[in-house]
Amino acid sequence: MKLFRLFLVMIGLVAINYVAQAQGKITGVALDSVTREPLAFASVFLANTTQGETTTDVGKFEFKRVPPGTYDLVGSYVGYRLGKQSVTVTAGGTQQVTVLLAPTGNQLAEVVVQPEPNKPEEYQEFSKLFLGGSTFSEQCHITNPDDVRVLYDAEDDELSARAKNYAQIENDALGYRLKYYGLEFNYDKGSRSVSYYGQPVFEEMKPRDEAQRKLWEANRLIAYKGSFMHFLRSVYRNRLRTEGFMAQQVRVIINNRYGQTDSLRRMLLERHPDGSNLTKAEKDSLSLWSRSAPIYATLNPAALPIDSIRRASADGKRVYLRFTGELQVTYFGEAPDPKYGKPMSSLGTPPKGTTYPAKRQVSRLRLQGKQAEIQADGSLLNPLDVSNGEYWGFEKIGEFLPFDYTPPTPATGASSSPPTRP
């Protein structure tokens, strides 16, 4: 019996050692970029994760358990600009990093000009677009609104927002406190496109009781299932269908006749600006032309095989998302948020004899180049390589999870189906 127990202990030690070896370490120091003096008690964190540290009195820091991958290591200190450095961590390896932070200048000698207060309607519009309109987004709030500057450019018809140091968001649905450093938010009202970028760090909030802890755990799983991060992890691991996703090719077609029909439509409206004295044929023409567009899309009903959207390097260490045109991605594991407010229908017609389940989320993807590199944690090496829309465009800060989030593993005999969205 003792021998058997010793054997089990040895197995446990091997397993623990394997986990430790599967991770890496980052050590370093934060310095003033001009004087090269160490910065004591500066904040240093890995962007988009829950890993953050405070430097010692001699500016040193250490991240002991970091999964392999490439990260933005960010340093923040009062009176200094953000310092950012890309760091690649390997399994069992240690990376030594020096983070340089540039001072903003002699602030005591400067005349401080207070910006004008945000216009309430512009701030509310920014807040709605940034936090989102989902059930979880309604439980998010920015706790330092005075540090966020919102501006509207009437000439470009664009709303933008920047944050002094960071914007702090508390997500009471997921139990995260989020500090969004270097926020750059833009909303083009003409194209109705929203983009935001920065270096956020997550902090887990303390639940008031066990019931709230379980609720946060369940809500995080809901936010994860079907998310863009879930999709990218599925592509990386070659488990697209197993994880409940289907990818289909969207063909975007340019309507070469649009320019001609649009000029005819304008000419007809110039002759009859109030719509009077139009013949039946002219009314029919206007109705037809109003439905035409410069581009339109068709959907190939067949599911794309994984090899047509996933490419791995020869050594298998790098994985890329690749496709032409646009990609429609459907997730069949969860119903959309009740606040989505749009019919969750796919383009085109499904194959004969096939019906789409009612519980599905449909999103669209477009590559900015030929391909985008995916990391094991479901992040993109360059976040700007892919733009998304429809359901993924609807999900915002309310569903935002750190890249080191790991969904719970169902216990033996327990149901593996995700909880339902409230």
Side-chain angles (χ1 to χ4, degrees), residues 103-147:
T104 55
N106 186 3
Q107 295 181 331
L108 296 178
E110 295 177 355
V111 177
V112 178
V113 179
Q114 294 292 340
E116 295 182 5
N118 293 317
K119 294 181 179 180
E121 64 276 12
E122 292 177 356
Y123 180 84
Q124 290 300 322
E125 185 174 20
F126 151 72
S127 180
K128 181 72 173 180
L129 292 168
F130 179 53
L131 299 179
S134 70
T135 303
F136 291 163
S137 293
E138 290 182 343
Q139 301 177 60
C140 296
H141 58 281
I142 299 173
T143 60
N144 60 339
D146 293 340
D147 291 338

Side-chain angles (χ1 to χ4, degrees), residues 388-404:
N388 54 43
E390 294 198 23
Y391 197 73
W392 283 336
F394 163 75
E395 294 184 317
K396 298 285 195 321
I397 295 297
E399 286 71 29
F400 192 24
L401 291 166
F403 287 129
D404 52 356

Side-chain angles (χ1 to χ4, degrees), residues 172 205-213 215-216:
D172 294 327
M205 296 165 60
K206 185 177 180 179
R208 60 177 175 268
D209 51 32
E210 182 64 12
Q212 187 174 54
R213 186 195 67 79
L215 176 63
W216 283 348

Side-chain angles (χ1 to χ4, degrees), residues 224 227-245 306 310 331 374 376 378:
Y224 174 73
S227 67
F228 186 46
M229 179 169 70
H230 184 194
F231 168 74
L232 290 178
R233 287 182 181 182
S234 301
V235 174
Y236 184 91
R237 298 167 184 169
N238 200 2
R239 291 176 52 86
L240 198 65
R241 182 175 295 182
T242 305
E243 294 290 332
F245 290 98
I306 185 65
R310 179 185 186 273
Y331 178 66
I374 308 172

Side-chain angles (χ1 to χ4, degrees), residues 48-156:
N48 291 292
T49 75
T50 57
Q51 298 211 43
E53 297 290 340
T54 300
T55 61
T56 66
D57 55 356
V58 290
K60 292 185 178 181
F61 61 88
E62 182 180 48
F63 294 93
K64 296 180 180 180
R65 302 173 68 180
V66 183
T70 299
Y71 300 86
D72 282 337
L73 180 66
V74 182
S76 173
Y77 200 67
V78 176
Y80 287 76
R81 297 184 180 88
L82 287 180
K84 186 175 72 170
Q85 185 169 336
S86 179
V87 180
T88 299
V89 178
T90 57
T94 299
Q95 297 296 318
Q96 294 184 338
V97 182
T98 299
V99 181
L100 300 177
L101 284 79
T104 55
N106 186 3
Q107 295 181 331
L108 296 178
E110 295 177 355
V111 177
V112 178
V113 179
Q114 294 292 340
E116 295 182 5
N118 293 317
K119 294 181 179 180
E121 64 276 12
E122 292 177 356
Y123 180 84
Q124 290 300 322
E125 185 174 20
F126 151 72
S127 180
K128 181 72 173 180
L129 292 168
F130 179 53
L131 299 179
S134 70
T135 303
F136 291 163
S137 293
E138 290 182 343
Q139 301 177 60
C140 296
H141 58 281
I142 299 173
T143 60
N144 60 339
D146 293 340
D147 291 338
V148 179
R149 184 73 178 116
V150 181
L151 296 171
Y152 173 64
D153 188 328
E155 183 176 349
D156 293 333

Side-chain angles (χ1 to χ4, degrees), residues 136 139 173-174 214-224 419 422:
F136 291 163
Q139 301 177 60
L174 303 185
K214 290 182 178 180
L215 176 63
W216 283 348
E217 184 177 274
N219 285 350
R220 290 173 188 177
L221 182 59
I222 290 171
Y224 174 73

Side-chain angles (χ1 to χ4, degrees), residues 166-220:
Y166 58 80
Q168 180 166 290
I169 304 103
E170 290 194 357
N171 188 333
D172 294 327
L174 303 185
Y176 288 118
R177 182 176 294 108
L178 177 63
K179 291 183 178 179
Y180 211 109
Y181 287 85
L183 173 66
E184 295 184 15
F185 170 92
N186 290 282
Y187 172 51
D188 187 325
K189 293 194 175 186
S191 63
R192 301 180 67 183
S193 62
V194 176
S195 63
Y196 51 90
Y197 182 74
Q199 292 81 42
V201 61
F202 291 77
E203 176 189 350
E204 294 207 30
M205 296 165 60
K206 185 177 180 179
R208 60 177 175 268
D209 51 32
E210 182 64 12
Q212 187 174 54
R213 186 195 67 79
K214 290 182 178 180
L215 176 63
W216 283 348
E217 184 177 274
N219 285 350
R220 290 173 188 177

